[in-house]
Amino acid sequence: MADVVIGGIIGVIAVFVAPPRPKVAEARTAVDAYLADIAALLRTVADGIGRPDVVLPPRARHPFISDARALLGHVGKVADAVAEGMESVRFNPRARSLQGELGDVAKRRLWATVLATQARALAGSADRLYDREGTPPALPAASLSVLLHDLA
């Protein structure tokens, strides 16, 4: 019985005296990488449309569509990194001051998710409208390309 009590006391002391380092930097890095991937997608779309020598068949897709789909794989990883950061701060009495910073990272993650959804929709629209037979879109490909590069 004494073993259990002593082990419990040592466990509690280990958690509160020497808790693991908060994972705020990892969460920030994951969100920054996600945002960089969104910007890279926009640049890829900008570079992938409006080539005069390319006319895609009706069922063919631009190569950037695979990049747009790949963004979905990042959503869970980024959410997990932010959740781990929140837990590492929540259970670390010495890291309470980092909660505000981690809250900002969580807000950036939400905005990144919204941006990723919009970037994927834009990529899908560009895929369906540009480099196809028929009437060209109202916005010339060169103009859209410049706008997307500026946005990225």
Side-chain angles (χ1 to χ4, degrees), residues 115-131:
L115 289 173
T117 302
Q118 293 171 351
R120 290 184 66 242
L122 203 148
S125 297
D127 177 57
R128 296 207 185 268
L129 293 173
Y130 289 90
D131 304 326

Side-chain angles (χ1 to χ4, degrees), residues 36-128:
D37 289 342
I38 294 167
L41 172 64
L42 294 175
R43 284 189 292 276
T44 303
V45 172
D47 294 338
I49 61 171
R51 297 189 176 168
D53 58 332
V54 176
V55 176
L56 294 174
R59 293 191 181 259
R61 297 282 179 243
H62 285 88
F64 57 74
I65 289 300
S66 61
D67 295 338
R69 290 181 178 149
L71 278 180
L72 287 175
H74 296 293
V75 174
K77 293 175 190 173
V78 174
D80 289 346
V82 172
E84 284 181 30
M86 295 292 260
E87 285 181 20
S88 71
V89 169
R90 183 177 304 129
F91 298 118
N92 187 337
R94 289 190 250 165
R96 300 270 187 225
S97 63
L98 297 174
Q99 282 182 334
E101 182 179 347
L102 200 53
D104 292 342
V105 172
K107 287 178 189 175
R108 287 183 66 225
R109 182 197 67 86
L110 288 175
W111 276 108
T113 303
V114 171
L115 289 173
T117 302
Q118 293 171 351
R120 290 184 66 242
L122 203 148
S125 297
D127 177 57
R128 296 207 185 268

